[in-house]
């Protein structure tokens, strides 16, 4: 199983195991984001442990969070989080209409094994429309072929029903939904969101 799928299934598992906590903060963007990212017991910290990484879950050069291995730390300054390599770059955007292209462009600039964006579309129509638009942006990258071949760009879409998550992996021909192996994630399908 590749890293994008591992991340997605870890995401589904962790948000499902903390569903009550997330439901309590769902309509409060600041508190919800803190549960996802900015705390020592955040969802991302749980995911990093599950995947065998360390996580810096405060802005790292304007990236919401990064995952790394201990050997990626500069030895003389391990407490300062000077990293020689990034394994996963993570962006989280509560406001679906805020211009997700900015988050995608930001992720495209980062050299790492996996780029992840989590966001919350108001409905499936807006989700599919935005995926088509974002596909055009990723397709313009010089790294497009590698992103497609390595399954290294993942978008996770959350919906008002907290148990409904969709994981979309970038492919040159369109976004491909990750096949579901757990009940808390939605059913898979292909979406030809290509140009």
């Amino acid at each position: 199983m590749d890293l994008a799928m591992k991340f997605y299934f870890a995401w589904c598992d962790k948000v499902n195991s903390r569903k009550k906590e997330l439901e309590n903060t769902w309509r409060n963007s600041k508190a919800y984001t803190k549960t996802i990212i900015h705390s020592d017991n955040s969802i991302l910290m749980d995911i990093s442990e599950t995947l065998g990484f360390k996580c810096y879950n405060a802005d790292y050069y304007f990236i919401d969070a990064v995952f790394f291995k201990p050997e990626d730390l500069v030895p003389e300054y391990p407490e300062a989080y000077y990293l020689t390599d990034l394994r996963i770059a993570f962006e989280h955007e509560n406001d679906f209409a805020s211009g997700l292209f900015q988050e995608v462009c930001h992720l495209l600039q980062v050299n790492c094994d996996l780029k992840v964006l989590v966001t919350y579309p108001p409905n499936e129509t807006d989700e599919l429309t935005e995926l088509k638009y974002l596909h055009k942006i990723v397709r313009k990258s010089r790294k497009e072929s590698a992103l497609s071949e390595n399954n290294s760009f993942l978008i996770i879409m959350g919906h008002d029903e907290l148990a409904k998550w969709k994981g979309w992996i970038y492919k040159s021909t369109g976004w491909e939904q990750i096949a579901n192996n757990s009940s808390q994630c939605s059913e898979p399908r292909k979406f030809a969101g290509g140009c």
Side-chain angles (χ1 to χ4, degrees), residues 136-167:
K136 289 178 185 179
I137 292 169
V138 177
R139 190 154 173 87
K140 291 180 65 130
S141 170
R142 289 185 299 122
K143 303 170 201 151
E144 184 273 336
S145 292
L147 292 170
S148 179
E149 290 168 17
N150 299 324
N151 294 338
S152 54
F153 203 114
L154 169 65
I155 296 179
I156 299 175
M157 301 278 192
H159 298 268
D160 274 340
E161 181 187 337
L162 257 178
K164 186 177 179 185
W165 297 94
K166 294 180 187 176

Side-chain angles (χ1 to χ4, degrees), residues 57-73:
N57 67 346
D59 290 338
Y60 189 81
Y61 293 98
F62 302 102
I63 302 167
D64 287 342
V66 294
F67 291 62
F68 60 94
K69 293 283 190 176
E71 60 266 25
D72 299 331
L73 286 164

Side-chain angles (χ1 to χ4, degrees), residues 24 37 64 109 113 166 168 180 182:
N24 291 337
I37 307 172
D64 287 342
Q109 302 301 312
D113 300 332
K166 294 180 187 176
W168 297 96
N180 176 16
S182 60

Side-chain angles (χ1 to χ4, degrees), residues 19-72:
K19 186 176 177 181
K20 198 65 166 167
E21 181 183 358
L22 290 170
E23 284 174 345
N24 291 337
T25 60
W26 182 254
R27 299 282 178 219
N28 179 338
S29 291
K30 190 173 186 176
Y32 184 83
T33 298
K34 186 175 181 179
T35 304
I36 298 294
I37 307 172
H38 300 299
S39 69
D40 289 338
N41 66 342
S42 68
I43 297 286
L44 286 190
M45 296 301 270
D46 290 348
I47 291 171
S48 70
E49 187 175 315
T50 297
L51 297 179
F53 293 106
K54 299 291 183 186
C55 179
Y56 184 77
N57 67 346
D59 290 338
Y60 189 81
Y61 293 98
F62 302 102
I63 302 167
D64 287 342
V66 294
F67 291 62
F68 60 94
K69 293 283 190 176
E71 60 266 25
D72 299 331

Side-chain angles (χ1 to χ4, degrees), residues 119-132:
T119 191
Y120 307 88
N123 56 58
E124 188 171 283
T125 301
D126 287 346
E127 175 180 357
L128 298 179
T129 300
E130 189 69 12
L131 281 170
K132 186 171 185 176

